[in-house]
């Protein structure tokens, strides 16, 4: 359902417009002043505002809105005979204007066109981002729509962003989207895991080092900041940085320059920093575990990625996308998730969030025989992974055995395809006896889909 922000200091007009939109399946958000409207922009698809209001007028409101989101359409209501004001409104960026007293059909038509234009812009931006990322972006729930709209607004602005969320929510995807939406999209996107490197080595990894700077430094090395020059540096788990490295990171953000370890020179870098964390850094600053000045430098804008339990309505689409992705990776023609399985996935608790859901789907696809995956696939370790209170699986997604079996299945499928389904020839090319090959076809559910053209 589309959401439209209505702005007017006349309650009667707000009521009339809201009832009109309700009859057409559009949700209304009401604001009695321009100042109030600016606090209610999140999650709306369009704005209808009067021109004449106390304080900030409609034209000033349009300008303020477009400073935050230039893709948000604004329809201006003006008094009859105010063509000069209407022209000014259009020049300020209004999508269209409607004179009062307005005709219901006219304003409905204008608003429908505005919402359609907004939807097309959002879709085009998503498709462009998906092309850059090389993967689909799934999320049409209100929570994810608000987050993705915030990314659209913030992405083009060359400012530091802090992305916060529980483990497995998809913070790395949001960081990649911010890069894809930015003017740096053609530049490098570099990631540094602050939790994976001991404190004494993190400085050398981030800022580089000269030869002989420390034991084992046999040659000079460029750091992650230098590698990200002209692009974006994503600092995963930034809350894990030691205090000395935090201080040096603050200097980079303030001065735009780095000093490699052991070097007597400084180097200028042009890098946008996106920091990710599963911690509440504001609370960490109060506990004196994170520098307050660095927190405010990182959190120029703070985006919070919701846990999966707050957008369960996205689970069917997410599960279908993961099934498609892993079926392709494992060489399967197609995989479908049964309706009862989808319902079970939506009911399950996911303490590991989207990552845990992805791991579970990957296991079911890898161990299944293709075609439809039913509720019975939710068994053993796979079932326990989705039960309430279960621990999230490790980042490695599949066990070694599961990965080997998935790879073997994929090789068999590709080999069969290359010989037009001739089982004897496929077995010969793989160095297997025909009996051993048939056993593998049965194991992976391929026996019925791979006729032997030689018989």
């Amino acid at each position: 359902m589309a959401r439209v922000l209505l702005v007017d200091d006349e309650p009667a007009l707000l009521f009339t417009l809201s009832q009109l939109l309700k009859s057409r399946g559009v949700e209304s958000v009401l604001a009695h002043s321009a100042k109030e409207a600016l606090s209610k922009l999140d999650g709306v698809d369009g704005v209808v505002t009067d021109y004449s209001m106390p304080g900030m007028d409609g034209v000033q409101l349009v300008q303020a809105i477009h400073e935050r989101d230039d893709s948000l359409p604004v329809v201006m209501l003006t008094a009859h005979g105010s063509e000069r004001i209407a022209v000014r409104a259009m020049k300020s960026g209004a999508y269209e204007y409607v004179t009062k007293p307005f005709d219901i059909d006219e304003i409905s038509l204008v608003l429908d066109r505005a919402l359609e234009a907004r939807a097309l812009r959002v879709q085009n931006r998503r498709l462009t981002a998906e092309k850059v990322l090389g993967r689909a972006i799934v999320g049409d729930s209100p929570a994810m729509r608000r987050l993705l709209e915030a990314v659209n607004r913030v992405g083009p602005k060359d400012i530091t962003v802090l992305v916060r969320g529980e483990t497995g929510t998809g913070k790395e995807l949001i960081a990649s989207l911010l890069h894809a939406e930015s003017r740096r999209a053609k530049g490098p996107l570099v990631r540094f895991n602050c939790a994976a490197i001991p404190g004494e080595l993190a400085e050398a990894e981030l800022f580089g080092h000269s030869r002989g700077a420390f034991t084992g430094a046999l040659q000079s090395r460029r750091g992650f900041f230098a590698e990200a020059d002209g692009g974006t540096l994503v600092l995963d788990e930034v809350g894990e940085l030691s205090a000395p490295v935090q201080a040096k990171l603050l200097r980079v953000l303030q001065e735009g320059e780095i000093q490699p370890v052991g070097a007597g020179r400084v180097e200028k870098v042009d890098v946008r920093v996106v920091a990710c964390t599963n911690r509440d850094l504001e609370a960490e600053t109060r506990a004196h575990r994170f520098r307050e000045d660095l927190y405010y430098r990182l959190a120029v804008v703070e985006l919070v990625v919701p846990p999966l339990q707050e957008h369960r309505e996205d689970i069917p689409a997410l599960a279908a996308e993961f099934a498609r992705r892993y079926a392709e990776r494992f060489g399967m023609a197609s995989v479908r998730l049964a309706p009862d399985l989808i319902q079970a996935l939506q009911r399950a608790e996911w303490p590991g969030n989207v990552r845990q859901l992805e791991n579970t789907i990957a296991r079911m696809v890898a161990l299944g025989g293709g075609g439809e995956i039913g509720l019975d696939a939710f068994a053993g370790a796979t079932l326990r992974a989705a039960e309430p209170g279960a621990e999230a699986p490790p980042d490695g997604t599949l066990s070694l055995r599961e990965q080997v079996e998935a790879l073997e299945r994929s090789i068999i499928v590709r080999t069969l395809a290359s010989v037009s389904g001739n089982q004897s020839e496929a077995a010969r090319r793989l160095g297997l006896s025909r009996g051993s090959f048939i056993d593998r076809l049965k194991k992976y559910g391929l026996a019925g889909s791979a006729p032997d053209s030689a018989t």
Side-chain angles (χ1 to χ4, degrees):
M1 179 183 292
R3 300 176 77 233
V4 173
L5 176 61
L6 306 178
V7 192
D8 201 301
D9 58 337
E10 296 183 17
L13 184 59
L14 286 180
F15 177 78
T16 300
L17 280 172
S18 65
Q19 292 303 302
L20 168 64
L21 295 183
K22 184 178 180 180
S23 68
R24 294 175 178 265
V26 177
E27 180 184 352
S28 299
V29 180
L30 307 184
H32 297 85
S33 68
K35 183 178 179 180
E36 182 183 357
L38 291 175
S39 67
K40 294 184 174 182
L41 288 175
D42 284 349
V44 302
D45 303 297
V47 180
V48 177
T49 180
D50 191 19
Y51 166 75
S52 180
M53 294 181 291
M56 183 184 295
D57 65 27
V59 170
Q60 293 170 318
L61 177 58
V62 172
Q63 294 168 339
I65 288 173
H66 284 177
E67 285 178 4
R68 300 190 184 190
D69 184 358
D70 58 7
S71 69
L72 193 63
V74 182
V75 176
M76 182 82 70
L77 301 179
T78 63
H80 180 69
S82 302
E83 286 76 11
R84 181 178 58 82
I85 292 174
V87 170
R88 183 177 167 224
M90 298 297 288
K91 287 183 177 180
S92 70
Y95 176 81
E96 187 58 274
Y97 71 92
V98 176
T99 57
K100 295 192 295 184
F102 54 80
D103 179 81
I104 291 179
D105 290 335
E106 179 187 7
I107 195 169
S108 296
L109 180 61
V110 169
L111 193 52
D112 286 345
R113 287 203 305 260
L115 293 175
E116 182 179 353
R118 162 74 166 181
L120 287 173
R121 281 195 294 268
V122 170
Q123 182 181 21
N124 287 338
R125 292 178 74 165
R126 178 175 289 201
L127 290 173
T128 300
E130 288 179 342
K131 185 176 180 180
V132 172
L133 295 175
R135 60 186 293 188
I137 302 168
V138 179
D140 284 319
S141 63
M144 288 305 296
R145 282 183 61 198
R146 287 193 293 270
L147 175 62
L148 293 174
E149 287 169 6
V151 170
N152 289 339
R153 293 196 300 271
V154 175
K157 299 177 175 64
D158 206 24
I159 54 178
T160 306
V161 180
L162 179 65
V163 182
R164 181 165 60 85
E166 296 177 7
T167 299
T169 51
K171 298 185 292 295
E172 57 284 334
L173 173 62
I174 297 303
S176 298
L177 270 175
L178 287 167
H179 175 73
E181 293 276 1
S182 74
R183 291 184 288 273
R184 299 171 177 268
K186 293 183 179 180
L189 173 62
V190 180
R191 296 181 182 278
F192 178 75
N193 189 339
C194 303
I197 306 293
E200 59 272 14
L201 294 179
E203 179 182 354
E205 290 293 312
L206 277 173
F207 311 121
H209 61 78
S210 60
R211 180 180 178 183
F214 51 85
T215 303
L218 302 180
Q219 58 185 8
S220 298
R221 183 187 181 282
R222 299 178 76 216
F224 280 79
F225 265 99
E227 291 177 5
D229 193 28
T232 303
L233 176 61
V234 180
L235 299 177
D236 288 320
E237 304 307 335
V238 70
E240 303 293 333
L241 287 177
S242 64
V245 180
Q246 288 182 34
K248 298 200 175 208
L249 175 59
L250 178 63
R251 178 184 175 183
V252 178
L253 296 177
Q254 290 175 330
E255 308 296 335
E257 58 186 29
I258 59 173
Q259 183 172 8
V261 176
R265 69 186 189 284
V266 295
E267 302 174 7
K268 284 287 186 181
V269 289
D270 175 24
V271 175
R272 182 192 194 179
V273 171
V274 176
C276 301
T277 182
N278 59 9
R279 296 185 180 186
D280 183 345
L281 289 191
E282 190 171 10
E284 293 289 296
T285 64
R286 292 194 296 268
H288 305 291
R289 290 189 292 266
F290 197 84
R291 290 183 64 112
E292 184 177 20
D293 47 4
L294 177 58
Y295 166 69
Y296 287 117
R297 279 284 179 176
L298 292 173
V300 176
V301 172
E302 184 169 349
L303 301 178
V304 179
V305 186
L308 188 54
Q309 66 179 0
E310 293 184 7
H311 59 110
R312 289 179 179 273
E313 54 266 62
D314 287 326
I315 288 178
L318 284 166
E321 169 60 20
F322 293 146
R324 183 204 62 77
R325 189 182 303 170
Y326 283 97
E328 183 178 289
R329 183 177 300 180
F330 299 150
M332 300 177 180
S334 64
V335 169
R336 300 181 305 280
L337 303 181
D340 57 351
L341 174 58
I342 291 291
Q343 292 173 6
L345 294 175
Q346 284 192 282
R347 289 194 303 267
E349 296 297 325
W350 300 100
N353 293 296
V354 175
R355 182 182 300 158
Q356 184 183 3
L357 174 65
E358 179 178 0
N359 294 345
T360 301
I361 298 297
R363 287 191 179 96
M364 289 192 291
V365 172
L367 300 177
E372 184 172 88
I373 299 178
L375 188 59
D376 57 345
F378 234 174
T382 303
L383 176 58
R384 289 195 296 274
E387 287 177 343
E391 293 183 0
D395 290 351
T397 62
L398 304 179
S399 68
L400 177 61
R401 177 183 62 80
E402 291 168 337
Q403 292 185 60
V404 170
E405 290 182 348
L407 178 61
E408 185 177 54
R409 188 189 192 284
S410 177
I411 292 171
I412 290 173
V413 168
R414 289 200 302 269
T415 304
L416 278 170
S418 70
V419 296
S420 302
N422 188 318
Q423 296 173 4
S424 298
E425 176 61 17
R428 187 189 67 78
R429 291 192 181 189
L430 294 173
L432 298 172
S433 68
R434 179 174 169 78
S436 179
F437 185 73
I438 295 298
D439 287 342
R440 282 173 167 80
L441 291 182
K442 293 177 180 177
K443 176 181 178 180
Y444 298 123
L446 299 172
S449 59
D452 190 348
S453 59
T455 60

